[in-house]
Amino acid sequence: MTTRLTVPTAHPYDVVIGNGVQDQLRGLVGEDVLRVAIIHAPSMRHQAEILRRPLVADQLDVHLIEVPDSEQAKTADVLTFCWKVLGESGFTRSDVIVGLGGGATTDLAGFVAASWLRGVRFVNVPTTVLGMVDAAVGGKTGINTAQGKNLVGAFHEPVGVLCDLDVLQTLPPAEMRSGLAEVAKCGFIADRSILELIEAAPETIADPGSSIVAELITKGIAVKARTVATDLHETGADGSIGREALNYGHTLGHAIERFEGYRIRHGEAIAIGMVFVAELAHRTGSIDKHLLDRHRSVLEIIGLPTAYRPGTWEPLLASMRLDKKTRGDQLRFVVLEGLEEPAILAGPDESVLLDSYRAIS
């Protein structure tokens, strides 16, 4: 069964979820296109060639741009390399970029599209759970710097997203678990039925072909689509928390990723970050012990870490001060005031932060 979700922003686009939906790429590319660049990681070389063949058969000039795996792709050097290929290939504003791979690849591909000629069309074809529920939807694109993750980027929406569930069959179990961290996040901030599904059927979490996993992915994407539709540029202009809610667990999580040199998976770091902010919310009186404990139990069902090694607080704190939510010298965290009730906690006392960190280390 195929599900089609519309992201109702100023320039609406569809997210198609199902088996075999990569076949719909030609329709998303459009009729006025001469050139297509498929940006992919080495592990996606064969899949990129599969996508390329029908486009070439339709007389399109298709370029495969291979970039490093994971976060190593999100650098200025790799970005410059992609620009070089586009320039040498004569890419114009009517041509199309395709991002094929996990979240890091689609982040990079989107920023390539946003920056080339001040913006060309692009299609996301995510191949991981993380890519499907997080990076591929919402128009956030970017690269990392030595100082932090996603500090350079742009908001640039795709013209469509194809989430082909068939590709999950070859995904390593650890990558499945990592992606499900973002799904669980959506459960805590916006849709409790996600948590109930995980708790009711823990034995299905490891099976990428299960109907429960497909439903979890669809629910996670639906949360992301609803959230970005009301606050695409993360301004919170209507007075609500808006898109910042999607950063739940990410302030500490991104700091851990950077501290680990991106050797830890994104979802593993975010899982730890969610438990940290749950501890923080509990200590500041926002949530009760039951909801705090539920964070650990849900994430442990998935098989994700809920604690981090001690003795790393000072470098993590320094890294968090560069987080995008920080204003001036004031740290800001997305916390819960109850299940499905995200809010911003600004400037918490550093002793409370340290106590919360000690509770997870």
Side-chain angles (χ1 to χ4, degrees), residues 28-334:
L28 286 175
V29 165
E31 296 301 324
D32 59 339
V33 171
L34 293 179
R35 301 167 193 85
V36 176
I38 302 175
I39 297 177
H40 67 93
S43 59
M44 287 290 108
R45 189 177 301 149
H46 177 66
Q47 189 63 40
E49 184 58 38
I50 291 174
L51 289 183
R52 176 180 178 271
R53 288 171 192 157
L55 300 177
V56 170
D58 209 15
Q59 307 303 310
L60 297 183
D61 182 16
V62 183
H63 299 265
L64 303 185
I65 305 178
E66 186 167 293
V67 298
D69 281 314
S70 303
E71 296 296 323
Q72 303 308 312
K74 293 171 61 175
T75 69
D77 286 344
V78 176
L79 179 66
T80 302
F81 166 70
C82 293
W83 287 338
K84 179 175 181 288
V85 175
L86 297 183
E88 292 175 346
S89 306
F91 252 66
T92 70
R93 277 191 175 152
S94 63
D95 297 324
V96 174
I97 306 289
V98 175
L100 171 68
T105 304
T106 57
D107 278 354
L108 170 71
F111 192 38
V112 171
S115 54
W116 185 252
L117 299 177
R118 298 186 178 91
V120 298
R121 287 178 293 170
F122 81 106
V123 177
N124 272 331
V125 186
T127 59
T128 65
V129 176
L130 178 62
M132 293 177 184
V133 301
D134 185 39
V137 178
K140 268 191 177 181
T141 72
I143 60 172
N144 306 328
T145 72
Q147 288 69 43
K149 185 170 179 177
N150 296 332
L151 294 182
V152 178
F155 290 99
H156 189 58
E157 295 177 87
V159 296
V161 181
L162 299 176
C163 299
D164 196 328
L165 301 179
D166 285 345
V167 301
L168 301 183
Q169 297 294 335
T170 59
L171 204 62
E175 285 296 333
M176 280 289 300
R177 293 193 293 269
S178 176
L180 288 170
E182 291 284 357
V183 179
K185 175 200 74 178
C186 292
F188 284 114
I189 67 170
D191 184 356
R192 68 184 68 198
S193 71
I194 289 173
L195 307 180
E196 293 163 357
L197 271 175
I198 293 170
E199 292 164 332
E203 70 283 353
T204 67
I205 296 301
D207 180 6
S210 74
S211 61
I212 296 296
V213 168
E215 186 175 0
L216 287 170
I217 290 171
T218 302
K219 284 178 176 288
I221 293 172
V223 168
K224 183 79 179 279
R226 291 196 303 269
T227 305
V228 302
T230 59
D231 186 24
L232 179 64
H233 294 98
E234 202 171 90
T235 61
D238 64 356
S240 70
I241 184 174
R243 185 172 181 158
E244 278 194 289
L246 296 169
N247 290 316
Y248 189 61
H250 283 56
T251 301
L252 180 66
H254 281 172
I256 289 173
E257 286 185 276
R258 182 184 170 217
F259 183 78
E260 295 285 347
Y262 301 104
R263 289 181 293 274
I264 188 172
R265 287 178 171 84
H266 175 73
E268 294 168 346
I270 298 312
I272 298 167
M274 284 192 281
V275 179
F276 169 76
V277 289
E279 289 282 356
L280 181 58
H282 180 58
R283 280 168 168 70
T284 54
S286 294
I287 66 171
D288 60 21
K289 183 71 160 49
H290 173 73
L291 185 50
L292 168 61
D293 291 342
R294 196 176 188 185
H295 280 71
R296 286 189 169 88
S297 63
V298 166
L299 295 170
E300 286 168 358
I301 286 172
I302 296 171
L304 291 163
T306 57
Y308 191 59
R309 51 196 172 108
T312 57
W313 176 242
E314 290 304 322
L316 292 177
L317 179 61
S319 185
M320 286 192 289
R321 294 194 188 283
L322 282 171
D323 184 80
K324 296 184 295 299
K325 292 182 297 303
T326 298
R327 301 291 184 267
D329 59 357
Q330 188 180 67
L331 285 170
R332 298 165 76 252
F333 294 87
V334 180

Side-chain angles (χ1 to χ4, degrees), residues 333-346:
F333 294 87
V334 180
V335 297
L336 295 181
E337 293 182 341
L339 187 58
E340 302 175 337
E341 296 179 31
I344 292 293
L345 176 64

